[in-house]
Amino acid sequence: MGNRDGKCTYCLWEFYFWLCRFWGIITCIVLWGIGVEEAFYGRYVGFILLAEAVIVTFLEVVFFVDFCVKILKSGDDEEESASCCLKMWACVLWIDHWKKGVLYLLLAVPCFIEPHDAWLAIISGVMLMMSAIFYIIKTFGSMNEETHQKLPQETTYDRFDDIQEDLEDNILNPIDDGAIVCVADQQEILEL
């Protein structure tokens, strides 16, 4: 039952990871919409929201771009994979999980500056805070996944491998200890 619980937990964390990504993309869409709305009416909070929308959109699209980078990088050898672009990309990937959560919390603060004038900004601020909390919680799931990957995988254990090889060698190349081995004896051995 322990193995089954581990698979269930893994499935729940996988679902949670996709929920975080989905909520982040929805938050991007809301930031863009509310930012355009507020900027259209000349409120400076709208321009701040547009700048935040650019940052959040980039950070949410990183997952998809990383998938493409891994596919393109899989054919490269080690010398080419140490390029400057890939080092920069590793820095971008460093901002994930709790770091992204803290950044989203900081980005949520300007959304609450003028609640009486730009009340739509409160919605985007709350969504950013929820996304931040989701990413901070996601850190615990990634720690669990990393420790799960570090555990040694179960190896197949076949105690008869060595015996099987010895039997095959002796049958095909019998040891000549003065006894005459006839074809009939070999046939009986092969039938076993």
Side-chain angles (χ1 to χ4, degrees):
M1 185 150 173
N3 190 18
R4 185 175 175 198
D5 290 339
K7 288 181 183 179
C8 184
T9 304
Y10 176 75
C11 289
L12 287 175
W13 278 115
E14 189 70 24
F15 173 77
Y16 185 76
F17 291 162
W18 285 105
L19 177 73
C20 289
R21 296 188 198 292
F22 178 74
W23 186 260
I25 292 171
I26 296 297
T27 303
C28 290
I29 293 169
V30 169
L31 277 171
W32 281 106
I34 294 175
V36 168
E37 175 81 15
E38 296 296 327
F40 178 76
Y41 287 113
R43 296 184 188 107
Y44 72 93
V45 174
F47 298 107
I48 294 172
L49 289 177
L50 287 174
E52 289 179 359
V54 169
I55 294 169
V56 172
T57 302
F58 175 74
L59 290 175
E60 291 301 325
V61 173
V62 162
F63 169 72
F64 300 110
V65 175
D66 184 48
F67 181 72
C68 295
V69 167
K70 285 181 181 178
I71 289 173
L72 293 174
K73 187 180 136 185
S74 65
D76 294 344
D77 57 351
E78 290 298 320
E79 294 175 8
E80 292 179 17
S81 65
S83 69
C84 180
C85 293
L86 288 176
K87 288 179 183 176
M88 293 288 287
W89 188 248
C91 292
V92 170
L93 291 178
W94 180 75
I95 304 173
D96 199 11
H97 305 305
W98 68 270
K99 297 169 200 116
K100 192 183 288 188
V102 171
L103 180 64
Y104 284 3
L105 282 175
L106 293 175
L107 290 176
V109 171
C111 298
F112 301 105
I113 290 177
E114 292 184 359
H116 61 280
D117 191 30
W119 62 272
L120 285 175
I122 295 173
I123 296 170
S124 60
V126 168
M127 289 185 75
L128 269 172
M129 290 177 69
M130 288 178 61
S131 188
I133 292 169
F134 284 164
Y135 276 106
I136 290 171
I137 293 172
K138 183 181 165 191
T139 302
F140 299 114
S142 65
M143 285 181 186
N144 188 18
E145 183 179 325
E146 289 173 3
T147 57
H148 180 68
Q149 288 176 351
K150 288 180 183 178
L151 293 175
Q153 300 296 327
E154 291 183 19
T155 58
T156 59
Y157 176 70
D158 192 3
R159 63 183 178 166
F160 299 111
D161 280 343
D162 296 332
I163 297 171
Q164 184 70 23
E165 290 173 6
D166 292 339
L167 284 175
E168 289 175 1
D169 289 341
N170 289 338
I171 291 172
L172 296 177
N173 302 321
I175 301 171
D176 188 18
D177 56 353
I180 300 175
V181 179
C182 66
V183 178
D185 291 338
Q186 284 187 355
Q187 189 62 29
E188 288 177 12
I189 294 173
L190 289 176
E191 288 176 0
L192 290 174

